[in-house]
Amino acid sequence: MISIRQRKGVKTTEVSEDYAAREANVKLENKLPSGCASRRLWKLLSFTVGGTVALCIGLLTSVYLATLHENDLWFSNIKEVEREISFRTECGLYYSYYKQMLQAPTLMQGFHGLIYDNKTESMRTINLLQRMNIYQEVFLSILYRVLPIQKYLEPVYFYIYTLFGLQAIYVTALYVTSWLLSGTWLSGLLAAFWYVTNRIDTTRVEFTIPLRENWALPFFAIQIAAITYFLRPNLQPLSERLTLLAIFISTFLFSLTWQFNQFMMLMQALVLFTLDSLDMLPAVKKNLKTGSFLNRLGKLLLHLFAVLCLTLFLNSIIKKILNLKSDEHIFKFLKAKFGFGATRDFDANLYLCEEAFGLLPFNTFGRLSDTLLFYAYIFVLCITVIAALAVAFHNLSDSKSQQSTGQTGKCTIILKPETAYNLIHTILFGFLALSTMRMKYLWTSHMCVFASFGLCSPEIWELLLKSIHLYKPKRICIMRYSVPILILLYLCYKFWPGMMDELSELREFYDPDTVELMNWINSNTPRKAVFAGSMQLLAGVKLCTGRTLTNHPHYEDNSLRERTKAVYQIYAKRSPEDVHALLRSFGTDYVILEDSICYERRHQRGCRLRDLLDVANGHMMDGPGENDPDLKLAGHPRFCEEIKRNLPPYTAYFTRVFQNKTFHVYKLSRNK
């Protein structure tokens, strides 16, 4: 919001005449009892209608996404093993712990199994509650066991309905944030409509249900809404305390449910630090800088330098003292991604070659433009950025040097703190999404909030109309209501038929090769057998069969990353003796080879898994193309290809016990 703030050393008479006149009108209206009563009644009615619409739109979004999930998989009709296989990659790993807790004879035995787990990583006992963010699975399993719902609701439905229910909370939080910023619930309705019509780019919950982000982002949205409200000046003490409690609870739940919470908390700290540095926070909340422009700017730069140096110093010292290496791969990935030197590090290249960790595709903006979201966002962003730059320059200047009343009046126009907070948030989210596609879901959902707020904000329209000399109070009212209503009508007209077609389109889950593999493992291998293979497949093996794994997709542990690289030598150019020795060092009984990895064509040369392994091992890559001059020819053929020929050097160590069109399972000999 654009408003007037009186700074130290500036008298009230220096405020612009236009604003003073409006204040006088407001005071006059407040003296009229009938006007006051009608305003209160209108506010109560607006709050009731807006709150009801928020709850309804949240629930409808939840039902819509749940219906899409059902229609896409025919989830209610497929077998249990097919339902579990539908939880791909790490999703299956997380859901397996919910299943494990439900299958435990007692809750205490279930807790013991998680704290002293020896099936997720063979030959190691790990504390899953410490290593992974699975408190939500534990909590849900306890609820399911305690509540009298076992006869009416299957465990898998209790799980997925909880996630879809959180989507209702997520959309409601986005709605409320936009409402708080603009002052009208129409803004929240537009934000929710944009969230749904841009579903491809705002969420992926309907096909990756157990992902940590689907648990965490609703709480993150609540936190942003609570901070937005907290930054309002002149809050009542009770309201302020309740808001702080909401911030604490939402931050705590967000931190519990997502392993990347520290990066988001760092972003929150940067936002608040920037607001404080530019003096955009209310004086009662925080105030840091004083003095002339050069003095304040120097203090700001010195403070920024000190904070960065202290952060890096403490980070390195703590890591050395505690011997922490869990985030090494992230820094290697970032270093290579932003051009600070090429790397042959297997873990960093594994991230670099995944589309999700690449730059945001350009066609994303085309989809966002089809709903008018991107155009509205750029429009609002430009206006607020210009206003914020003017405010920042003035706040860092010495206000006492402003002599004329008119000049001071212009300079003291500022953004409301909650608007500035969300502006910096959306800019940081934007940079994060542009650099890493997987993080676009943070930006696009907040984009819906920010764009809808701007179109319904009287201050944004006032600033725009004044800049083009068309300002009239009635025009502001017309613009802030007519523009969002027209956009809502456009969205309904263009996207409603497509949404109805989506809801009527029925498909069915179909993956017979994986189903056959899981059934074979359950029927033909010992319960304590140890399986090696790709991270993604082994998560499904853990969920569907309960067998012990050598590695898994939760990649935030250094020793696990080293173990995964060793297991993946089955797709490298290594001798059968070497591969057998590596696999047996982790207690492996069976290894699963996948043709989709061995003969991969999804990635281009240099990004195929076998290429990453070759480069990390110092070997030349297959196929036409250049190789680094120091890479050498491997002394052995590719293991995953050569083992299928059943030659004596391989059959001495590995015996094929299962195969279909996709998978080949080999049993390792124990006497070598």
Side-chain angles (χ1 to χ4, degrees):
M1 177 179 175
I2 309 296
S3 61
I4 303 297
R5 182 176 70 178
Q6 179 182 348
R7 298 177 63 83
K8 293 182 179 179
V10 181
K11 298 181 180 179
T12 55
T13 56
E14 296 175 337
V15 179
S16 65
E17 295 179 2
D18 178 65
Y19 181 80
R22 278 186 284 151
E23 287 292 306
N25 290 335
V26 171
K27 290 179 180 178
L28 182 62
E29 289 177 4
N30 288 339
K31 293 180 181 179
L32 302 175
S34 60
C36 182
S38 62
R39 277 198 310 277
R40 287 181 180 177
L41 181 62
W42 174 252
K43 285 184 178 179
L44 180 61
L45 180 63
S46 177
F47 180 80
T48 303
V49 172
T52 304
V53 172
L55 294 175
C56 291
I57 201 73
L59 290 173
L60 286 174
T61 303
S62 174
V63 172
Y64 171 63
L65 294 172
T67 305
L68 289 179
H69 174 259
E70 167 64 26
N71 291 356
D72 190 51
L73 301 176
W74 203 6
F75 201 74
S76 60
N77 188 67
I78 59 178
K79 299 176 182 177
E80 185 67 20
V81 66
E82 292 176 310
R83 291 178 180 176
E84 293 178 347
I85 291 172
S86 71
F87 296 134
R88 302 285 187 179
T89 65
E90 60 193 282
C91 299
L93 184 68
Y94 296 130
Y95 183 78
S96 72
Y97 301 121
Y98 170 73
K99 179 181 176 181
Q100 180 178 326
M101 280 291 293
L102 291 179
Q103 290 179 342
T106 65
L107 283 176
M108 291 307 299
Q109 288 177 293
F111 276 117
H112 187 274
L114 295 179
I115 296 174
Y116 301 98
D117 179 88
N118 55 13
K119 297 180 75 67
T120 302
E121 295 176 16
S122 59
M123 303 183 72
R124 292 182 65 186
T125 298
I126 59 175
N127 185 340
L128 291 171
L129 294 178
Q130 187 180 52
R131 276 275 299 276
M132 301 184 188
N133 299 76
I134 58 168
Y135 293 99
Q136 50 269 49
E137 277 76 21
V138 174
F139 177 71
L140 274 193
S141 63
I142 294 173
L143 270 185
Y144 187 80
R145 296 179 70 137
V146 171
L147 296 176
I149 57 175
Q150 290 88 346
K151 294 182 180 179
Y152 314 104
L153 194 64
E154 296 178 57
V156 66
Y157 280 107
F158 183 66
Y159 187 90
I160 65 173
Y161 286 166
T162 300
L163 267 298
F164 289 127
L166 280 177
Q167 281 295 300
I169 295 175
Y170 189 22
V171 172
T172 304
L174 298 177
Y175 180 109
V176 170
T177 304
S178 188
W179 185 1
L180 289 172
L181 289 169
S182 66
T184 172
W185 57 264
L186 181 63
S187 170
L189 182 62
L190 180 57
F193 263 68
W194 262 331
Y195 180 86
V196 174
T197 53
N198 291 281
R199 174 178 54 84
I200 295 175
D201 295 299
T202 55
T203 183
R204 50 179 178 168
V205 66
E206 74 270 21
F207 59 91
T208 58
I209 296 176
L211 274 189
R212 304 299 85 179
E213 67 189 54
N214 296 328
W215 285 97
L217 291 184
F219 301 119
F220 191 55
I222 293 172
Q223 184 210 55
I224 292 176
I227 294 176
T228 298
Y229 184 74
F230 176 77
L231 289 177
R232 288 185 166 187
N234 304 321
L235 281 182
Q236 295 296 323
L238 179 60
S239 298
E240 192 169 271
R241 285 195 291 268
L242 291 175
T243 306
L244 284 172
L245 180 62
I247 293 172
F248 170 77
I249 294 174
S250 58
T251 303
F252 175 73
L253 293 175
F254 172 69
S255 300
L256 280 183
T257 51
W258 201 14
Q259 67 267 33
F260 295 133
N261 68 83
Q262 63 269 31
F263 299 106
M264 298 301 102
M265 292 299 100
L266 175 62
M267 187 170 293
Q268 290 278 38
L270 287 174
V271 172
L272 295 174
F273 174 74
T274 304
L275 290 175
D276 178 46
S277 300
L278 299 178
D279 202 15
M280 290 183 177
L281 289 176
V284 294
K285 312 288 183 183
K286 215 171 181 188
N287 196 9
L288 183 66
K289 309 293 182 294
T290 56
S292 65
F293 174 73
L294 292 177
N295 192 9
R296 290 161 69 90
L297 184 61
K299 288 180 180 179
L300 172 60
L301 295 176
L302 181 62
H303 189 193
L304 180 63
F305 178 76
V307 168
L308 290 176
C309 290
L310 184 62
T311 301
L312 294 174
F313 174 75
L314 290 176
N315 187 18
S316 59
I317 289 296
I318 291 173
K319 283 183 178 179
K320 287 183 179 179
I321 293 175
L322 300 179
N323 194 28
L324 297 177
K325 299 180 180 180
S326 59
D327 58 357
E328 272 187 348
H329 63 304
I330 298 293
F331 291 105
K332 290 178 181 177
F333 159 70
L334 292 174
K335 182 179 177 182
K337 182 179 180 65
F338 294 111
F340 295 104
T343 180
R344 290 183 179 174
D345 182 77
F346 175 76
D347 302 316
N349 284 326
L350 199 61
Y351 280 101
L352 285 170
C353 288
E354 282 299 320
E355 184 183 6
F357 293 94
L359 299 177
L360 187 66
F362 189 75
N363 59 10
T364 305
F365 301 106
R367 291 192 299 270
L368 296 175
S369 299
D370 287 342
T371 62
L372 305 181
L373 171 59
F374 187 66
Y375 299 129
Y377 176 76
I378 293 298
F379 165 74
V380 176
L381 185 66
C382 289
I383 294 176
T384 50
V385 164
I386 292 171
L389 290 175
V391 169
F393 178 77
H394 176 259
N395 288 350
L396 291 176
S397 302
D398 185 5
S399 59
K400 294 181 180 180
S401 65
Q402 307 290 344
Q403 298 296 328
S404 66
T405 301
Q407 187 180 6
T408 303
K410 291 180 181 178
C411 289
T412 52
I413 295 176
I414 66 167
L415 293 172
K416 284 202 317 190
E418 56 265 38
T419 303
Y421 168 76
N422 281 274
L423 170 64
I424 300 173
H425 239 308
T426 198
I427 291 173
L428 291 180
F429 282 162
F431 282 122
L432 189 62
L434 291 172
S435 64
T436 307
M437 190 192 77
R438 185 174 179 180
M439 296 300 175
K440 73 174 180 179
Y441 301 101
L442 289 166
W443 187 39
T444 49
S445 58
H446 196 266
M447 187 186 290
C448 299
V449 171
F450 199 76
S452 60
F453 134 72
L455 294 182
C456 297
S457 170
E459 293 78 18
I460 296 295
W461 286 114
E462 179 180 347
L463 186 62
L464 177 66
L465 293 175
K466 281 186 175 180
S467 66
I468 58 177
H469 307 291
L470 292 175
Y471 170 73
K472 283 186 179 180
K474 289 184 178 179
R475 287 179 180 168
I476 293 177
C477 186
I478 292 172
M479 296 300 290
R480 72 181 294 227
Y481 290 112
S482 62
V483 171
I485 289 174
L486 289 174
I487 293 177
L488 285 169
L489 292 175
Y490 166 79
L491 294 176
C492 291
Y493 172 77
K494 184 171 182 179
F495 294 98
W496 184 262
M499 293 172 66
M500 293 299 101
D501 289 341
E502 276 188 315
L503 292 175
S504 62
E505 185 178 355
L506 303 178
R507 291 185 291 269
E508 183 180 0
F509 176 84
Y510 185 74
D511 189 355
D513 290 349
T514 306
V515 171
E516 184 185 12
L517 172 67
M518 299 304 171
N519 288 334
W520 180 87
I521 292 174
N522 273 320
S523 304
N524 297 278
T525 63
R527 292 286 302 171
K528 294 184 178 181
V530 178
F531 278 78
S534 69
M535 296 183 290
Q536 296 80 3
L537 179 63
L538 289 184
V541 171
K542 172 75 168 61
L543 171 58
C544 298
T545 71
R547 302 305 191 261
T548 305
L549 313 180
T550 56
N551 54 305
H552 54 81
H554 196 271
Y555 215 53
E556 276 66 52
D557 180 73
N558 184 60
S559 61
L560 176 65
R561 292 195 296 271
E562 293 176 353
R563 176 183 283 221
T564 299
K565 181 181 176 182
V567 170
Y568 276 9
Q569 298 303 311
I570 58 179
Y571 297 108
K573 298 171 182 176
R574 299 291 293 267
S575 68
E577 296 87 354
D578 290 344
V579 173
H580 182 270
L582 285 170
L583 295 178
R584 284 302 301 158
S585 68
F586 306 125
T588 306
D589 297 309
Y590 298 88
V591 59
I592 307 174
L593 295 172
E594 301 171 61
D595 287 346
S596 59
I597 298 178
C598 189
Y599 307 107
E600 181 185 359
R601 293 182 177 87
R602 184 169 65 95
H603 291 104
Q604 61 182 2
R605 184 178 184 269
C607 268
R608 300 169 299 189
L609 179 62
R610 60 181 185 267
D611 297 334
L612 303 183
L613 291 164
D614 289 344
V615 171
N617 293 339
H619 299 155
M620 298 177 105
M621 294 183 289
D622 294 337
E626 296 183 357
N627 287 283
D628 291 340
D630 60 328
L631 295 178
K632 301 177 181 178
L633 287 171
H636 301 278
R638 194 168 303 283
F639 177 84
C640 64
E641 297 175 356
E642 200 69 10
I643 192 174
K644 296 172 186 175
R645 298 176 59 190
N646 290 324
L647 298 175
Y650 292 85
T651 56
Y653 295 94
F654 302 92
T655 303
R656 185 163 57 196
V657 290
F658 173 85
Q659 71 171 8
N660 60 22
K661 292 184 294 184
T662 305
F663 304 105
H664 305 262
V665 181
Y666 293 86
K667 185 176 182 179
L668 277 69
S669 62
R670 290 177 173 270
N671 58 346
K672 297 291 181 182

